């Protein structure tokens, strides 16, 4: 009989890639999405799998809904990918973020404890943002945490409650501490996709300039398609555990801009420092990338760099796409969408 997986956050970036992977392995995929006035299945459609998902309605803030959904589906595996996932928004909506990214994890674990503590395996989408003001470089599973945003704090609760249910009730519950992972399906508020989409629009005369915040921040950026493979591998182990997924390399935001411009064959030069830093289009001398302090954060995570050593050794996981390949993939896809007027976001 086919295995059943319940994936929360099915309409998001990772939900789409994970669903494609699980379908390819013969799973019945139950995609949990919250009620919306308009259908937002564009990522699933982009991967050509929107017709293959069994959709169920699930709102993370509503325990009764979660319990009924888990009772109805009786999945073998639950992947909790749903979250208010944007750090910037968490400063504006700290309480909501705490409910959805923190407390709701307990709701799912309680539903599993009620319906099938020994039969349902659980994956929690934890994050490198829990390391925040980093205590060591590179960060690994045992690095102390110091989150720098309401998002990071809420996710830290989600991480520890997952560990706690594993230890208290002997549940197969795993926490994947994933470093930033991007793709052509990334939300446009995140800096990578914001950059590739804006540069593609600037190149094709649909936008004048790109405004960014802290361009000195460094991230360990991988490809989402690689990372969902690691999530699945975690749930195939004999017991639950915590694993870091990362590339082991870190790059500044400015370098992402430079490489995206190169991928789009745009000629830019950088000038100025700090808030005056900007990139000039050498073909017309216009500044096309400028700093806007509105995008600064009240507290910043300056540097993230993870080591995937444990995942590589224990799970046999290895990322396939490197940083130049990731930038190229995202820039090319956004240019294609802009050129063909096929942007669905
Ligand atoms: P996205 O923002 O692309 O997707 C988030 C998903 O959560 C969407 O499907 C969204 O639904 C859903 N969601 C949000 N709020 C609720 C709610 N109240 N009830 C039900 N569903 C809700 O995130 P990603 O796919 O990039 O990330 C997946 C998970 O991994 C998230 O938990 C994120 O925090 C975590 N993570 C991501 C990293 C990354 O670099 N991408 C790094 C580390 C962790 P809707 O479409 O309706 O908004
Ligand atoms: P995060 O690591 O989950 O916060 O992912 P983001 O892509 O949102 O941000 C990555 C880094 O880019 C952070 O340090 C941001 O401060 C920095 N950054 C600089 N300019 C921007 C911007 O305009 N938008 C976003 N989202 N981030 C920016």
């Amino acid at each position: 009989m086919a295995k059943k997986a319940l994936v929360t956050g099915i309409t998001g970036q990772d939900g789409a890639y994970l669903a494609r992977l699980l379908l390819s392995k013969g799973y019945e995929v139950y995609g949990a999405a919250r009620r919306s006035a308009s259908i937002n299945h564009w990522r699933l459609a982009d991967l050509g799998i929107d017709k293959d998902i069994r959709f169920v309605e699930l709102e993370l803030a509503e325990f009764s809904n979660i319990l009924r959904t888990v009772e109805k589906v009786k999945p073998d595996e639950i992947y909790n990918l749903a979250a208010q996932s944007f750090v910037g928004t968490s400063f504006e909506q700290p309480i909501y973020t705490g409910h959805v990214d923190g407390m709701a994890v307990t709701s799912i674990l309680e539903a599993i404890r009620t319906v099938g503590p020994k039969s349902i395996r659980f994956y929690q989408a934890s994050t490198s943002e829990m390391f925040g003001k980093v205590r060591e470089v590179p960060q690994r599973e045992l690095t102390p945490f110091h989150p720098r945003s309401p998002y990071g704090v809420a996710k830290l609760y989600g991480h520890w409650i997952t560990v706690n249910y594993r230890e208290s009730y002997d549940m197969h519950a795993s926490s994947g501490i994933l470093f930033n992972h991007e793709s052509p399906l990334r939300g446009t508020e995140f800096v990578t996709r914001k950059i590739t989409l804006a540069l593609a629009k600037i190149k094709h005369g649909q936008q004048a300039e790109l405004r960014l915040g802290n361009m000195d921040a460094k991230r360990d950026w991988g490809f989402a398609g690689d990372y969902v493979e690691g999530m699945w591998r975690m749930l195939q182990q004999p017991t639950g555990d915590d694993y870091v997924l990362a590339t082991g390399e870190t790059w500044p935001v400015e370098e992402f801009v430079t490489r995206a411009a190169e991928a789009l064959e745009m000629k830019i030069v950088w000038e100025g420092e700090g808030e005056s830093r900007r990139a000039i289009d050498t073909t017309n001398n216009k500044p096309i990338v400028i700093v806007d302090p509105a995008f600064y954060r009240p507290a910043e995570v300056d540097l993230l760099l993870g080591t995937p050593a444990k995942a590589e050794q224990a799970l046999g996981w290895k990322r396939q796409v490197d940083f130049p390949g990731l930038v190229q993939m995202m820039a090319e896809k956004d240019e294609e969408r802009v050129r063909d007027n096929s942007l669905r976001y």
Side-chain angles (χ1 to χ4, degrees):
M1 222 171 62
K3 272 194 188 173
K4 289 192 273 188
L6 176 63
V7 180
T8 75
I10 193 74
T11 55
Q13 169 189 257
D14 291 8
Y17 284 109
L18 179 65
R20 182 174 70 175
L21 178 79
L22 295 172
L23 288 166
S24 77
K25 292 185 182 298
Y27 280 70
E28 283 177 13
V29 177
Y30 291 79
R34 56 181 163 177
R35 193 257 158 197
S36 167
S38 40
I39 292 176
N40 56 352
H41 296 170
W42 71 270
R43 292 184 172 92
L44 298 165
D46 204 278
L47 298 184
I49 55 169
D50 50 326
K51 304 280 185 298
D52 303 323
I53 307 293
R54 297 152 201 253
F55 288 98
V56 289
E57 202 173 292
L58 184 135
E59 165 53 62
L60 279 184
E62 172 69 45
F63 172 68
S64 70
N65 180 207
I66 293 173
L67 180 61
R68 274 193 301 276
T69 304
V70 174
E71 266 171 347
K72 191 168 68 183
V73 176
K74 290 201 173 51
D76 299 288
E77 298 171 5
I78 298 181
Y79 296 85
N80 181 33
L81 308 185
Q84 190 303 93
S85 66
F86 188 47
V87 169
T89 296
S90 78
F91 287 101
E92 294 301 319
Q93 302 177 5
I95 298 166
Y96 172 75
T97 303
H99 285 310
V100 167
D101 295 10
M103 194 52 76
V105 185
T106 312
S107 297
I108 300 176
L109 288 163
E110 271 299 294
I112 295 174
R113 186 155 82 104
T114 307
V115 175
K118 296 285 175 256
S119 60
I120 304 175
R121 298 183 174 196
F122 178 67
Y123 173 84
Q124 169 57 16
S126 295
T127 166
S128 54
E129 292 290 324
M130 301 187 311
F131 296 122
K133 197 168 164 52
V134 300
R135 304 283 183 87
E136 65 175 341
V137 181
Q139 296 89 54
R140 60 200 167 104
E141 291 77 7
L142 296 175
T143 300
F145 298 114
H146 187 149
R148 294 272 280 172
S149 62
Y151 170 77
V153 174
K155 282 283 186 178
L156 192 48
Y157 175 89
H159 167 75
W160 280 121
I161 200 69
T162 301
V163 174
N164 181 256
Y165 271 60
R166 180 170 76 222
E167 293 175 351
S168 303
Y169 308 115
D170 199 22
M171 284 166 45
H172 196 301
S174 291
S175 175
I177 306 173
L178 271 51
F179 282 63
N180 295 51
H181 45 279
E182 321 293 310
S183 74
L185 303 184
R186 186 64 146 149
T188 52
E189 67 275 46
F190 293 90
V191 76
T192 54
R193 180 93 201 288
K194 181 176 172 181
I195 293 167
T196 55
L197 183 57
L199 290 184
K201 284 186 170 180
I202 291 168
K203 178 175 172 183
H204 289 271
Q206 297 180 16
Q207 186 170 326
E209 62 185 19
L210 164 62
R211 291 171 170 264
L212 293 174
N214 176 11
M215 283 195 278
D216 297 326
K218 291 177 154 185
R219 288 291 182 279
D220 178 330
W221 278 300
F223 170 52
D226 288 342
Y227 285 45
V228 298
E229 169 82 29
M231 297 175 188
W232 176 76
R233 286 183 184 228
M234 287 177 212
L235 294 209
Q236 310 317 307
Q237 301 309 302
T239 52
D241 204 343
D242 308 325
Y243 300 91
V244 162
L245 297 185
T247 70
E249 291 174 13
T250 192
W251 302 84
V253 170
E254 185 173 306
E255 181 70 19
F256 195 103
V257 177
T258 302
R259 288 183 184 241
E262 267 169 31
L264 293 168
E265 295 172 340
M266 297 168 77
K267 301 217 175 330
I268 58 167
V269 286
W270 290 97
E271 60 173 41
E273 293 303 324
E275 288 187 14
S276 308
R277 189 86 174 142
R278 51 196 205 155
I280 308 289
D281 181 342
T282 57
T283 58
N284 56 16
N285 248 0
K286 285 191 184 151
I288 55 167
V289 184
I290 59 173
V291 174
D292 184 343
F295 294 106
Y296 289 163
R297 290 171 179 176
E300 176 63 296
V301 173
D302 295 317
L303 164 87
L304 289 175
L305 173 60
T307 172
K310 178 177 171 182
E312 288 182 353
Q313 198 254 323
L315 305 177
W317 177 79
K318 191 129 192 73
R319 55 115 173 183
Q320 305 297 318
V321 178
D322 64 6
F323 178 72
L326 175 67
V327 182
Q328 183 87 24
M329 178 200 305
M330 294 178 68
E332 279 176 2
K333 185 69 185 181
D334 270 330
E335 180 168 33
E336 182 188 309
R337 287 166 171 150
V338 168
R339 211 182 30 222
D340 303 348
N341 208 10
S342 63
L343 196 57
R344 280 182 285 188
Y345 288 96

